[in-house]
Amino acid sequence: MEEDLREGRNDGRIQTRFPPEPNGYLHIGHAKAICMDFGIARNYGGICNLRFDDTNPVKEDVEYVDAIMEDIRWLGYQWANVYYASDYFQQLWDLAILMIKRGLAYVDEQSAEEIAKQKGTPTTPGVESPFRDRPIEESLALFEKMNRGEIPQGTMVLRAKIDMASSNMHFRDPLMYRIITDHPHHRTGYTWKVYPMYDFAHGQSDYFEGVTHSICTLEFEVHRPLYDWFIDQLKQDDYRPRQIEFNRLNITYTVMSKRKMLQLVQEGLVSGWDDPRMPTLCGLRRRGYSPAAIHNFIDKIGYTKYEGVIDLSLLEHSARETLNESATRVSAVLDPVKLIITNYPEQQVEMMDMVNNPEREDVGSHEAPFTKELWIEQDDFMENAPKKYFRMTPGQEVRLKGAYIVLCTGCKKDATGKVTEVYATYDPDTRSGLPGSERKVKGTIHWVSANHALLAEVRLYDRLFSVENPSEEKEKDFRELLNPESLKVLNNCRVEPWLAEAKPLDNFQFQRIGYFNVDLDSTADHLVFNRTVSLKDSWAKSNPS
RNA sequence: UGUCCCGUGGUGUAAUGGUAGCACAGCAGGUUUUGGUUCUGUUAGUCGGAGUUCAAAUCUUCGCGGGACAACCA
């Protein structure tokens, strides 16, 4: 792609831009574009600017400007300059005037419907507007009036005079300007009454800034000839920005359209733009994804022109891979049942050393209290267990992670047959670190001390949609395809006391369960954890309950 | 019945015209105080035809399939 450098074009200069419209939050698809735009600049010793493509005041807001900047910084990038397309309104206006004077643009007084009708179809040519050949002075005067607010919104537009029969629909006298008087622009207020369209603003903005490579997604491929045409009207020397397209990111079990995401937010189907189930960067952040995990993912997917759909499992893999190296291991029991070590002294408390991360000796360990009464997972006890069940079942030995090997002796059940307590005896010689602990035991389970454990809320997230490609379903509205089980809230979880110090967004591995982080809602009195992604579980896979 | 873009294992992505490789997912096994990690093995692919060539995933051509384009959105 970048052999331009070898050919010495633009004096070997590389300049890109990331050009979001401030009308929504950035999502993982934008992250792909950001990594491309900023990454190219970084790799080739060039610069990348942030430019807000704010040519439609109706949809835009400063709220989004700030959020976008935060997300880009979070990904670890710093733009050379911040620009706004609205900075170029005067230059664009001047160019429009020049084009009218050259007979290349005219004011059209027809309605949107009439203009649309005259466009023709991709297979039939359009017809020319009756205003197409109006005198230059007339267009000039009207365009001025349009921008003075003397013309009602929606009644006139400025169009380029190109070719109504072109096989490229975008050449059929595209709109350059429309009147917008009922919405203030988030930066220029009511100064302007006419606003340039995307096609009349984007390439020129690139040109004004000195962009060498204008990288965008595939849907703009058809716009490229028009992009070049407008540049031709402007160009003074050899320099010209070049538009290059790559494929948009699609991921299974989610949607990547701003419109759909906005709908989910507005209709309360998710809790907000930063709902951990959303593919937004703020959502992923809240879910526990790190910038490293996002980069890891983007590096794996590549840039091509093929419009495919990436498996969600690849994103999850990227998260596991990065979190495995960084997340501190802790014990948390999500669905507790009491385990009583019948031969353990009533009041005794032993502090057990828990390794923070077996992958990394340098991060050390922390302590967890061990007592007679513990919480373990319901799942980790079975009264009548199948052969390959390596956890608690009467007569079987199991290791309590970081503590002792215990022998399960039985359980107590209530009237409904539900197990309320599990009993075991411990072998004092098998405390972790002692020679007696070397003994091989099939299973190891996690636990927390009943008297010391903290109560916590845990939010289990799953795929947002129950079908692989919600956008592809023609029959049903995408909202009907939401996964009803995308969020499960557990209110009776017990976590080890060490977690009292955890701060919002800290990542942990709940051993044997998954990666979790502290939610923004979490307080000292009410701990809240989000499941980022589960651990792989080859037992559950081969033994569906 | 237009123009443009794209077709490589289930998924995504590589291969100066010269051994079709990698990752995810799957499967089997070893190691393991996480049924995690890790390691080993393994299943599976160039949309089809014709042409150029000593040699084609790659070049040409004809098909087939998918996508984009007819917003006063970007």
Side-chain angles (χ1 to χ4, degrees):
Chain A
M1 250 197 213
E2 316 298 335
E3 305 84 357
D4 280 10
L5 269 183
R6 275 197 290 279
E7 289 165 29
R9 232 172 284 180
N10 305 314
D11 307 320
R13 194 172 58 82
I14 292 286
Q15 183 174 326
T16 59
R17 98 272 92 112
F18 174 63
E21 184 187 15
N23 69 342
Y25 286 79
L26 261 27
H27 53 66
I28 182 83
H30 291 108
K32 178 177 176 180
I34 290 168
C35 291
M36 174 58 108
D37 292 328
F38 285 91
I40 289 280
R42 190 179 277 178
N43 292 345
Y44 292 91
I47 61 167
C48 178
N49 296 311
L50 171 60
R51 180 175 75 234
F52 289 100
D53 228 340
D54 54 351
T55 57
N56 183 9
V58 178
K59 293 203 212 158
E60 296 152 8
D61 197 281
V62 284
E63 172 198 355
Y64 300 120
V65 171
D66 298 336
I68 287 169
M69 294 202 279
E70 186 190 347
D71 286 344
I72 297 171
R73 285 201 205 94
W74 179 66
L75 284 176
Y77 292 112
Q78 184 56 57
W79 46 89
N81 304 285
V82 182
Y83 296 127
Y84 293 82
S86 51
D87 291 339
Y88 311 126
F89 282 170
Q90 185 62 50
Q91 277 166 283
L92 291 168
W93 167 271
D94 294 343
L95 176 63
I97 295 287
L98 188 69
M99 285 184 57
I100 299 174
K101 286 181 176 165
R102 285 185 189 156
L104 290 171
Y106 61 96
V107 170
D108 196 331
E109 296 180 38
Q110 300 181 99
S111 69
E113 296 70 39
E114 287 169 312
I115 291 174
K117 214 163 140 192
Q118 288 169 357
K119 280 252 158 118
T121 71
T123 52
T124 57
V127 301
E128 297 183 351
S129 163
F131 297 96
R132 195 172 203 258
D133 294 313
R134 76 190 322 164
I136 288 171
E137 292 67 32
E138 211 175 288
S139 280
L140 238 26
L142 283 171
F143 192 44
E144 295 280 0
K145 282 183 85 171
M146 282 165 65
N147 196 40
R148 282 200 300 269
E150 294 167 22
I151 308 287
Q153 182 169 323
T155 59
M156 290 189 196
V157 291
L158 183 71
R159 299 177 72 181
K161 192 191 285 189
I162 310 182
D163 177 9
M164 288 305 289
S166 172
S167 59
N168 184 335
M169 297 296 289
H170 297 283
F171 272 72
R172 323 250 260 227
D173 288 11
L175 269 62
M176 293 165 59
Y177 274 90
R178 78 287 211 186
I179 302 170
I180 298 174
T181 52
D182 63 353
H183 272 82
H185 186 277
H186 69 106
R187 296 186 77 234
T188 63
Y190 288 103
T191 307
W192 294 88
K193 311 288 191 267
V194 293
Y195 290 90
M197 300 288 290
Y198 168 84
D199 284 310
F200 190 66
H202 201 96
Q204 287 90 317
S205 301
D206 285 342
Y207 183 87
F208 297 147
E209 290 170 8
V211 167
T212 57
H213 301 270
S214 184
I215 304 163
C216 61
T217 44
L218 244 29
E219 67 268 28
F220 293 102
E221 214 159 24
V222 230
H223 292 250
R224 197 195 323 151
L226 185 57
Y227 177 102
D228 290 333
W229 189 86
F230 278 123
I231 297 290
D232 288 338
Q233 311 310 311
L234 191 60
K235 177 171 176 305
Q236 313 271 345
D237 51 31
D238 280 348
Y239 158 69
R240 73 176 310 142
R242 201 152 73 87
Q243 177 178 308
I244 298 164
E245 307 86 8
F246 65 83
N247 59 342
R248 218 178 227 286
L249 172 61
N250 296 302
I251 301 179
T252 54
Y253 301 105
T254 190
V255 291
M256 215 64 89
S257 119
K258 267 190 206 172
R259 199 196 95 240
K260 286 176 180 160
M261 293 195 294
L262 181 64
Q263 235 174 319
L264 294 175
V265 172
Q266 286 179 339
E267 293 172 17
L269 297 167
V270 295
S271 66
W273 287 100
D274 70 343
D275 186 299
R277 291 166 292 181
M278 291 282 272
T280 50
L281 293 180
C282 51
L284 288 164
R285 177 162 62 229
R286 186 168 180 177
R287 173 85 171 251
Y289 277 78
S290 62
I294 306 273
H295 281 110
N296 185 4
F297 174 68
I298 300 294
D299 287 345
K300 290 181 204 293
I301 61 179
Y303 297 88
T304 68
K305 301 191 90 165
Y306 178 72
E307 302 170 73
V309 187
I310 309 278
D311 261 330
L312 179 61
S313 58
L314 187 59
L315 179 62
E316 294 179 337
H317 168 78
S318 304
R320 288 193 189 101
E321 197 169 66
T322 51
L323 255 9
N324 180 46
E325 292 169 12
S326 64
T328 298
R329 272 59 171 172
V330 297
S331 296
V333 178
L334 303 192
D335 184 16
V337 65
K338 192 156 284 181
L339 169 67
I340 298 173
I341 314 293
T342 51
N343 62 339
Y344 196 80
E346 198 74 40
Q347 298 302 326
Q348 185 168 315
V349 179
E350 283 181 275
M351 294 310 287
M352 299 298 187
D353 197 52
M354 309 299 274
V355 171
N356 283 335
N357 188 336
E359 312 293 312
R360 294 181 50 183
E361 264 181 48
D362 60 302
V363 296
S365 59
H366 66 276
E367 291 189 322
F370 183 86
T371 54
K372 184 183 179 78
E373 296 196 8
L374 308 170
W375 292 112
I376 61 168
E377 299 284 353
Q378 295 264 9
D379 275 358
D380 287 341
F381 173 79
M382 262 182 125
E383 196 176 14
N384 300 299
K387 258 209 166 52
K388 296 231 287 237
Y389 184 82
F390 302 143
R391 312 175 196 178
M392 283 254 165
T393 190
Q396 184 160 286
E397 272 196 328
V398 72
R399 186 188 302 275
L400 296 177
K401 177 85 183 171
Y404 293 99
I405 294 173
V406 298
L407 173 68
C408 183
T409 52
C411 67
K412 184 164 112 187
K413 288 183 279 191
D414 66 12
T416 66
K418 186 177 186 293
V419 175
T420 54
E421 284 178 354
V422 178
Y423 303 112
T425 56
Y426 85 118
D427 176 349
D429 295 336
T430 61
R431 178 174 167 160
S432 290
L434 264 38
S437 70
E438 309 283 308
R439 185 173 2 133
K440 295 281 177 220
V441 182
K442 282 271 189 175
T444 300
I445 65 172
H446 62 280
W447 50 272
V448 293
S449 164
N451 287 330
H452 299 81
L454 273 17
L455 189 64
E457 173 183 334
V458 171
R459 300 174 182 167
L460 301 179
Y461 296 102
D462 200 354
R463 44 185 69 152
L464 224 202
F465 290 90
S466 43
V467 299
E468 273 202 8
N469 195 344
S471 312
E472 206 179 46
E473 301 282 329
K474 300 281 186 276
E475 306 296 306
K476 287 187 181 166
D477 184 275
F478 77 102
R479 288 165 293 183
E480 294 173 44
L481 303 168
L482 283 166
N483 175 9
E485 310 215 312
S486 62
L487 170 60
K488 264 189 226 155
V489 179
L490 304 178
N491 283 302
N492 189 33
C493 307
R494 313 293 162 128
V495 302
E496 61 172 283
W498 191 67
L499 248 13
E501 294 167 30
K503 296 180 296 296
L505 299 184
D506 280 353
N507 297 101
F508 295 96
Q509 184 197 91
F510 287 1
Q511 289 193 102
R512 303 207 303 132
I513 304 175
Y515 295 100
F516 292 74
N517 78 338
V518 182
D519 189 74
L520 267 16
D521 290 343
S522 190
T523 64
D525 295 335
H526 185 78
L527 293 172
V528 182
F529 294 91
N530 297 317
R531 181 172 66 192
T532 307
V533 62
S534 65
L535 249 35
K536 280 201 192 166
D537 189 347
S538 52
W539 165 254
K541 202 184 303 177
S542 51
N543 295 275
S545 47

